[in-house]
Amino acid sequence: MATKLSLAALDAVKARAGVPNYGRHDLRAGIVHFGVGNFHRAHQAVYLDDLFNLGRDRDWAIIGAGVLPSDKVMRDKLEAQDFLTTVVEQDNNRTGAHVTGAMIAYLEPGDTPAIVAQLASPLIRIVSLTITEGGYFIDPASGVFDPAHPAIVEDARDPAAPKTVFGLILAGLAERRAKGIPPFTIMSCDNIPGNGEVTQAAVSGLARLSDPGFADWIDANVAFPNGMVDRITPATGAREIGIVASQYGIDDAWPVFCEEFKQWVLEDRFPQGRPALEEVGVQFVPDVAPYEHMKIRILNGGHAAIAYPAALLDIHFVHEAMEEPLIGAFLAKLEHDEIIPVIPPVPDTDLKDYYKLIETRFSNPKIGDTVARLAQDGSNRQPKFILPSTADRLRRGEDVVGLSLVSALWCRYFAGKSDSGKEIVFNDANADRLHAAAVAAKDDPMAFLALSDIFGDVAQSDLFRRRFAHALKVLWEKGTRATLQLYLDGNLGE
């Protein structure tokens, strides 16, 4: 019978899984983290757990925070097991589990006074974020902060009663400034190019709507380091909970499964100090941008590219998509012909070797990553992961046959049925208008490209419009398999 995960149960658990070699009493908070989802618990929290296990920097423990209903659900699950998490790392050749204890508390979502008070504590020197690509109030087409978003307008109208993450951060900063406490560093851990700059734009942009002087103070005094994060982390479901119970004897309400590989590249801009993460493999570099471009275009772009043909072919798992010869070959051709050639050089990195690593990671059958996870939130992911490569090639006067096909596959997916006629379940905040545009695009392809907040200037390119329209026409007439084959054979041109 599985043992319910808790601090008191760690002695029983350690026979089958790794456990912290430090006690909760050894830790003191130094970080407030917004967005305690699977990725955070498989990435930042693991790095800190590794550091604490080395006996280092135990005054950098995490206090969780959030504003969404899902944050409340996660908090309740974690509180019931003393904020511990079972992390199962699965590589092609090995599997192992360990319990992490880097989080020591999780503030009640909606308890604004408690969250602001914690943010104002001098002990807190870093506020970190994993709030997804869609959580930064960015206009997808322009890539800049949207001050007209209703949630931002509401927070600007009443800064004393914040509802957004950025409103809460501002309230904490305001209290620190009033008390003469140095500001914390704000560190994004989301997959966004220039995530530090994007976060600064959201924080100071919101402040500027109600107090321009405060915004100027933020720009002058608060650090927003850029960072690149990487670890494939699928969603948790009954399958993962059952595996942890049966194989490791741990009753964990929400374990995390992930690949063995992980990477974190950071700018070293932490005026109030930071944990010695370089001791556990984090790379500190002067310029993160080359690493960001590489990872977001090749890995995240690769995920975005294979998601929709796989979904249209009723493929469930990502490794199964890579086992489908047409999809595996489609990804390789797309990456080598159109994506990698427009990525700037990365220090000490061969981009073709990096792609081979990505190919191996996508093919890992053990982590159970799903096509549905890759396909979700495309209205935020396509403008960040795919369309920048398209725009770069168009600016250089180069063809975009493969990248246009990716956009056409996304459109065909949002028509609502796979090639076999199976209903597709969407997971996107803009699903209704995407679906309506995709249905209209069957007769008028430009109806989908008219989503100007997503496609922006790319949709104004005659070449892209022609390539997209032709690819979509072929998808409807011949189906996904035949279209992919035409692309692979070099016969998808007009």
Side-chain angles (χ1 to χ4, degrees):
M1 183 173 177
T3 300
K4 176 65 179 173
L5 183 60
S6 69
L7 288 170
L10 289 179
D11 280 345
V13 166
K14 69 182 181 182
R16 302 180 74 176
V19 300
N21 66 15
Y22 53 88
R24 183 60 50 84
H25 60 278
D26 296 330
L27 302 182
R28 189 175 66 177
I31 300 171
V32 169
H33 181 82
F34 285 93
V36 183
N38 277 17
F39 182 77
H40 163 73
R41 294 185 299 138
H43 193 264
Q44 180 184 350
V46 168
Y47 278 106
L48 287 165
D49 182 72
D50 288 345
L51 189 62
F52 299 161
N53 278 322
L54 292 179
R56 296 292 306 273
D57 294 354
R58 290 176 177 174
D59 58 339
W60 287 100
I62 301 164
I63 293 179
V67 298
L68 301 174
S70 58
D71 295 321
K72 168 66 174 169
V73 173
M74 181 65 78
R75 181 193 181 279
D76 290 347
K77 291 180 184 295
L78 292 178
E79 183 183 38
Q81 54 195 47
D82 296 325
F83 308 108
L84 300 170
T85 290
T86 308
V87 178
V88 181
E89 296 179 348
Q90 296 189 304
D91 199 13
N92 288 317
N93 299 314
R94 67 170 294 277
T95 297
H98 65 282
V99 174
T100 63
M103 177 177 288
I104 61 174
Y106 196 144
L107 301 167
E108 185 75 41
D111 189 347
T112 298
I115 295 174
V116 173
Q118 191 65 68
L119 291 171
S121 167
L123 297 177
I124 299 304
R125 289 148 287 163
I126 294 174
V127 171
S128 54
L129 310 165
T130 48
I131 54 176
T132 77
E133 297 84 6
Y136 289 81
F137 303 100
I138 303 167
D139 176 75
S142 67
V144 300
F145 174 66
D146 180 9
H149 190 285
I152 292 298
V153 171
E154 184 178 350
D155 266 12
R157 185 181 299 120
D158 189 3
K163 301 292 193 300
T164 68
V165 168
F166 301 112
L168 289 166
I169 287 173
L170 285 177
L173 285 172
E175 190 163 328
R176 292 175 83 103
R177 183 173 67 152
K179 294 179 177 179
I181 302 169
F184 42 68
T185 296
I186 303 175
M187 179 180 68
S188 171
C189 300
D190 280 300
N191 286 310
I192 301 174
N195 56 9
E197 286 95 341
V198 168
T199 307
Q200 181 172 0
V203 174
S204 65
L206 174 55
R208 198 166 298 281
L209 295 175
S210 59
D211 188 343
F214 187 27
D216 291 341
W217 179 87
I218 290 168
D219 288 338
N221 293 281
V222 181
F224 297 84
N226 289 307
M228 182 269 266
V229 296
D230 189 6
R231 188 171 223 184
I232 295 173
T233 308
T236 296
R239 169 184 175 270
E240 288 72 27
I241 294 170
I243 290 173
V244 169
S246 62
Q247 294 189 15
Y248 300 103
I250 303 172
D251 177 6
D252 186 325
W254 214 247
V256 173
F257 279 53
C258 56
E259 62 179 337
E260 187 174 29
F261 176 92
K262 65 182 185 296
Q263 187 177 17
W264 196 1
V265 184
L266 271 172
E267 288 179 341
D268 202 353
R269 292 198 290 130
F270 294 83
Q272 304 311 313
R274 61 167 177 80
L277 292 166
E278 66 274 17
E279 298 289 334
V280 288
V282 177
Q283 298 168 259
F284 286 94
V285 299
D287 183 11
V288 174
Y291 300 89
E292 288 179 329
H293 275 98
M294 174 183 72
K295 189 262 178 173
I296 287 174
R297 302 284 185 96
I298 297 178
L299 186 144
N300 297 107
H303 269 162
I306 66 174
Y308 304 107
L312 289 168
L313 295 178
D314 300 321
I315 297 173
H316 182 72
F317 287 111
V318 176
H319 70 272
E320 293 173 337
M322 294 300 291
E323 290 168 358
E324 164 54 58
L326 286 172
I327 292 178
F330 163 61
L331 177 63
K333 181 176 173 61
L334 176 72
E335 295 272 17
H336 289 301
D337 290 2
E338 298 190 19
I339 295 177
I340 291 175
V342 293
I343 296 175
V346 181
D348 303 317
T349 303
D350 183 304
L351 295 179
K352 292 182 179 179
D353 288 345
Y354 180 78
Y355 171 69
K356 293 302 293 183
L357 172 64
I358 297 305
E359 198 172 47
T360 299
R361 292 168 63 194
F362 285 9
S363 301
N364 182 351
K366 289 189 175 180
I367 61 173
D369 201 9
T370 64
V371 169
R373 185 186 76 86
L374 304 193
Q376 70 184 14
D377 203 26
S379 61
N380 278 302
R381 295 180 176 186
Q382 291 280 318
K384 296 178 179 68
F385 302 157
I386 293 295
L387 294 175
S389 294
T390 309
D392 282 352
R393 292 188 66 81
L394 291 172
R395 277 192 290 268
R396 290 164 52 155
E398 296 172 342
D399 213 337
V400 288
V401 177
L403 289 163
S404 299
L405 174 57
V406 174
S407 294
L409 286 160
W410 182 41
C411 176
R412 170 65 187 84
Y413 166 90
F414 260 100
K417 291 185 179 180
S418 70
D419 283 12
S420 71
K422 181 180 177 181
E423 291 284 343
I424 293 173
V425 178
F426 305 130
N427 186 351
D428 193 299
N430 294 293
D432 290 344
R433 68 190 185 100
L434 287 167
H435 176 57
V439 171
K442 184 175 183 180
D443 297 318
D444 176 16
M446 297 307 106
F448 200 70
L449 300 189
L451 298 167
S452 58
D453 60 319
I454 293 172
F455 286 97
D457 291 342
V458 168
Q460 304 309 311
S461 163
D462 288 339
L463 176 60
F464 177 72
R465 291 161 73 94
R466 292 199 311 271
R467 294 292 191 225
F468 172 85
H470 180 68
L472 185 61
K473 180 175 182 289
V474 175
L475 281 167
W476 277 114
E477 290 180 352
K478 299 181 180 294
T480 302
R481 288 185 180 278
T483 305
L484 292 176
Q485 191 62 61
L486 286 169
Y487 170 68
L488 294 173
D489 292 342
N491 295 321
L492 192 59
E494 298 168 270

